[in-house]
Amino acid sequence: MKAVLGLSLKARLSLLYAVLLILSVVIVGFCSYWNVWQLFINNKSAHLRARAKPIIAHWLTDYGLVSVEHPASKLTSETAAILARDLTSKQSSAIILDNTGKIIAKGKRLPEEPDAPPPELGQFKKAMSGENEVTYFANLNGTSLLVMLIPLRPRPGSPKVFGVVQLSTGLREINRMLFRHGAMLMAIVALILILGTVAGYWLIGMSLRDLQGLVKTCNAISSGDFSKRVSVNTTQGEIGRLATSFNQMISQLESIFASQQRFVANAAHELLTPLTGLKGCVEVLLRGAQDDPATTSRLLKAMYREVNRLIRLCEQLLGISRLEGSSHVHRQDVVVSEFFADFMPQARLLANDDRLVLRQGPYARISVDPDLLKQVLFNLLSNALRHSPDDTPIEITWRLLPDFVEIQVRDHGEGMDATTLSHVFEPFYKGRSHTCSYKRSGLGLSLAKSMINAHGGTIKVESAPGKGTIVSFTIPLSSN
Amino acid sequence: MMERDTKIKILLIEDDPVITEFLRTGLKYEGYDVVSFDNGIQGLDSLNRNEFDLVILDIVLPDIDGFEICRRIRAMGQEVPILMLTVKKEISDRVKGLDSGADDYLTKPFSFEELVARIRALLRRSGRIGQGKMLNAAGVVLDPSTRHVRIHGRNIELTPTEFGLLELFMRHPYRVFTRETLLNRVLGYDFDGGTNVIDVHISHLRKKLGDRPARLIRTVYGVGYSFQPGDDAT
Ligand SMILES: Nc1ncnc2c1ncn2[C@@H]1O[C@H](COP(=O)(O)OP(=O)(O)O)[C@@H](O)[C@H]1O
C-alpha cells in the first residue's frame, strides 16, 4: 500500500484504472460464458424433451397404458425395452426405471451408441415424486453427460407416476463449442485490456497535463513571481475550475501584496516629511545656529513638535496594523446614550466651544469596544472641526436599524469633491483642502474604517463641495 | 563683499512649519534674506510686488500645487530661478517639475549643505552672483572652484581643512564663529573629538598666511574666531 501511495498521481490513476478495467472485463467475460453455457444446456434439454415427448405418448397409447387402474403392473421389461430402444440414438441413450428405481430396460444396442450412466437415487426420487424437469450432470468414464429424468404417467397431468425414463446425452459438443467461445472471449478481453490500458494512460496523461501546468505555475509563484497565471484550455471540468479559481486567488494575492507595498511606501513617504524637518533643524543648529540661544530654543521647540508628529503617525500606523486581526477589540455591552454622556465632555475639550450638538436617538445597547468607538468619533470630529468654519454646528446623532445602530457625524463645512470622496478611505489619502496638509496624515478615515470593520460594521461618507459632510457608521446591537 | 553689500532675497513657499522654520533660520545664517509663505496665492502675490533672486517651492501646498505656481511664475514673465522641494522619488515628478519651468529639484529629506550648494549654483547660473567668483580680502585671494589661494600674489599650499576654514571665514567676514560651529562645518557633523583640533588648524593657517600677530584671524576670547579683513591696512 505504501509503495502505491508513493507513486505519482498519474501512475496511481493508471494502476487503479487498469485494475478496474481487468475486474470489469473478467466479470463481463465470466457472465457471458456462464450465460452461453446455460443457453446450450437449456437448448439441449429442451431438444431432448421435445424429441422424447411424442415417442412416450405414442408408446403409452400403443401399449394401453393410458387410463388404467394400475399402470405399474403393465410396465414389463418387454414394453419398456421397446420404449428404451425408440428413445436411444447416436447422441443419446435411454434406460427405463420402474417405480422402485430398478432398471428394467436399456436402449443401447449398437456400439456407437453412448453408454448410459447408472441412475442416482436422489434424483430418481425427485422424479418419482412428480417433478417433471429433473436434469443433472453425471460423469461416466471421463465424459460428462447431461442426464434428464422424465416421469411416466398414464396421461399428461396425472399424479400417478409408475416409472421413470432416464435420458442421457454427451456434452462433448457443447464443451467444444464452449471452449471455442471461451477462447474468443479471452482474446477479446486481452485486446480490450491492452487497448484500454493504453488509451487510459494517454487520457489520464492528457487530463493531468493541466495539473502539471498548475504545479509549474505554483513553483514560479512561490519563488515570488506573482504575475504568472495558469493557462487554462477550458473553464469546464474540475481542473479547469481549479485553474480558474487558482488564478483568481493569485490575482487577489497580487493585489493585496501590491496594496501592502503601496501602504509601506506611503508610510515611508509620510515619515520623510517630519524627518526632513528634524534633519534640517539639527543641521542648521550644528552649522552655527546653536550659538544663538533664542534661535536654538526656537528650533528645539520646532523639533519637539516634529517628534510628536512622528510619534502620532507611528501610533496611527500601529493602530491600523493591529486592527488587521480583530483580537484587539474588547467588546462589551454599552448603552448608546450612556456612552455619549461619558464621551461628550471629552469631545467638548477637543472642540473647545459649544459647536458640538448631540441629538439623542432611541434607546439601544450595542456590542462595542468603547475605547475604539471613542477613537473613531475623535477622528471624525477632528476632521469635521478642521474642515468647517468656526461658527457652524457639528451634529452627532444615532438611529436604530435592523441589527445595527447607525451613528452619524455631520458638519456644514467645505465638503469634498467626487475625487476626494472616492479616495477618502485610502490610507494616506489627503484630499484638496484649505487646511495645511501637514496637519493631516490621511490616516484618520482609514483608521476609523478599520475599527468599524473590526466590529462588523460599515462606514460611509456623503458629501458635496460646499454642502458639508455626513459620515455615518454602523455598530452591531448587542445580542442579549 | 557681495554677500554683505547686496543681500540675496529668497522667496520660500512651503506649508510645513518646521521645514519653514529651519530653512528661514539656516538661510538667514548663510547670509540670505528669506521671505516665507505657507500658501501659493500669497507667495505669488508677494512675487508680483517684490524683486526676488530665487524661489524655493514645495510641491504639495494647500491651495495650488508647486507645478502650477511654477507655471504661473513663468507666465508672468519672471526669469527668477526656481528650486522645487518634494518627497516623491518618482522621476515623473522631476520631469514634470522641470517641464513646468523649475530650474532644479531636491528630494526630501535633503541635507541643508546640499541645499546651500544648489542655491549657490542656481544664483551663479542666473548671474545673480559672479561666475566662479574669487574671494578677495586683505591681499588674500581664494578661488573656490580651483581651490587655489594666493597671498600678495604668492601661491600657498593649504590642507583641505585649512582651506575650508579660510573659505568659511572669507565668505562671512566679521562673523564670530564658535569652535563648535567651525568644527561642524569644516570637519563634518559627525566628527568625534575635542574642539581644540580647531585651534591647531587655525594656528597652522595663521602661519601659512603670515598672520603672525593674529590680526586677520582674530581670537575672540571665550567664544571663538573671527575674520577681520578691514582692520588690516593693506
Ligand atoms: N469632514 C470633512 N470635510 C471635508 N473633507 C474631509 C472631511 N473629512 C475628511 N476629509 C477629506 O478626506 C481626507 C482624508 O481624511 P482622513 O483619512 O481623515 O485623513 P486626515 O488625517 O488627513 O484628515 C482629508 O485629507 C480631507 O481632504
Side-chain angles (χ1 to χ4, degrees), chain A residues 268-270 272-281 283-291 295 298-299 302-303 305-306 309 432-438 440, chain B residues 15-19 21-23 25-26 29-30 38 60 62-65 87-90 108-114 116 176-178 180-181 184-185 189:
Chain A
H269 269 150
E270 216 52 43
L272 279 181
T273 307
L275 285 174
T276 306
L278 275 181
K279 182 183 161 115
C281 287
E283 239 180 312
V284 167
L285 277 171
L286 288 174
R287 287 170 69 89
Q290 59 184 345
D291 300 339
T295 311
R298 225 178 42 242
L299 284 173
M303 287 167 72
R305 280 198 303 274
E306 209 67 339
R309 182 171 151 200
R432 271 178 189 284
S433 164
H434 303 299
T435 315
C436 295
S437 63
Y438 74 90
R440 306 184 275 147
Chain B
D15 74 330
D16 188 303
V18 178
I19 294 180
E21 177 69 55
F22 89 75
L23 284 180
T25 314
Y29 197 81
E30 294 304 313
D38 66 1
V60 186
D63 48 359
I64 20 183
D65 73 15
V87 222
K88 302 224 178 82
K89 290 261 192 307
E90 281 92 57
K108 293 178 186 174
F110 49 84
S111 91
F112 189 76
E113 209 169 345
E114 170 85 3
V116 172
V176 179
F177 290 98
T178 59
E180 185 72 34
T181 301
N184 287 334
R185 293 185 67 149
Y189 308 134

Side-chain angles (χ1 to χ4, degrees), chain A residues 329-399:
Chain A
V329 181
H330 303 294
R331 287 163 175 267
Q332 57 196 75
D333 286 355
V334 172
V335 176
V336 180
S337 51
E338 286 170 16
F339 171 83
F340 276 110
D342 179 37
F343 173 78
M344 288 314 283
Q346 299 174 23
R348 292 221 155 83
L349 287 180
L350 178 87
N352 226 3
D353 51 25
D354 292 331
R355 285 178 63 194
L356 296 189
V357 182
L358 178 70
R359 292 196 207 295
Q360 297 280 344
Y363 175 86
R365 273 164 78 87
I366 50 178
S367 162
V368 75
D369 183 332
D371 289 336
L372 291 187
L373 181 56
K374 268 181 205 169
Q375 274 194 53
V376 170
L377 284 166
F378 274 131
N379 283 352
L380 299 186
L381 284 180
S382 57
N383 275 349
L385 287 166
R386 200 182 292 152
H387 298 285
S388 61
D390 285 342
D391 52 357
T392 56
I394 293 165
E395 294 142 8
I396 305 177
T397 182
W398 74 89
R399 63 189 180 115

Side-chain angles (χ1 to χ4, degrees), chain A residues 316 379-380 382-388 411 413-416 420 423-433 437 439-447 461 463 468-471:
Chain A
Q316 283 180 323
N379 283 352
L380 299 186
S382 57
N383 275 349
L385 287 166
R386 200 182 292 152
H387 298 285
S388 61
D411 68 53
E414 64 196 48
M416 299 173 224
T420 309
H423 293 291
V424 276
F425 291 116
E426 280 171 26
F428 305 109
Y429 182 82
K430 295 177 208 164
R432 271 178 189 284
S433 164
S437 63
K439 284 188 192 147
R440 306 184 275 147
S441 63
L443 286 175
L445 283 174
S446 344
L447 202 57
V461 180
S463 185
T469 303
I470 304 175
V471 184

Side-chain angles (χ1 to χ4, degrees), chain B residues 18-113:
Chain B
V18 178
I19 294 180
T20 305
E21 177 69 55
F22 89 75
L23 284 180
R24 282 180 67 106
T25 314
L27 290 176
K28 265 185 190 141
Y29 197 81
E30 294 304 313
Y32 301 109
D33 211 0
V34 183
V35 177
S36 69
F37 294 97
D38 66 1
N39 63 75
I41 307 264
Q42 286 180 348
L44 280 171
D45 194 45
S46 166
L47 189 66
N48 250 336
R49 285 186 280 105
N50 304 288
E51 202 42 60
F52 284 101
D53 296 299
L54 186 101
V55 178
I56 301 176
L57 196 52
D58 189 16
I59 287 186
V60 186
L61 289 168
D63 48 359
I64 20 183
D65 73 15
F67 303 123
E68 182 55 30
I69 295 178
C70 232
R71 246 171 261 128
R72 291 201 196 169
I73 293 175
R74 294 302 179 225
M76 290 181 332
Q78 292 252 27
E79 299 269 294
V80 60
I82 300 174
L83 176 62
M84 291 251 239
L85 304 178
T86 177
V87 222
K88 302 224 178 82
K89 290 261 192 307
E90 281 92 57
I91 303 290
S92 67
D93 254 28
R94 172 173 203 137
V95 172
K96 206 170 154 195
L98 298 181
D99 270 359
S100 58
D103 297 275
D104 204 351
Y105 165 101
L106 261 184
T107 312
K108 293 178 186 174
F110 49 84
S111 91
F112 189 76
E113 209 169 345

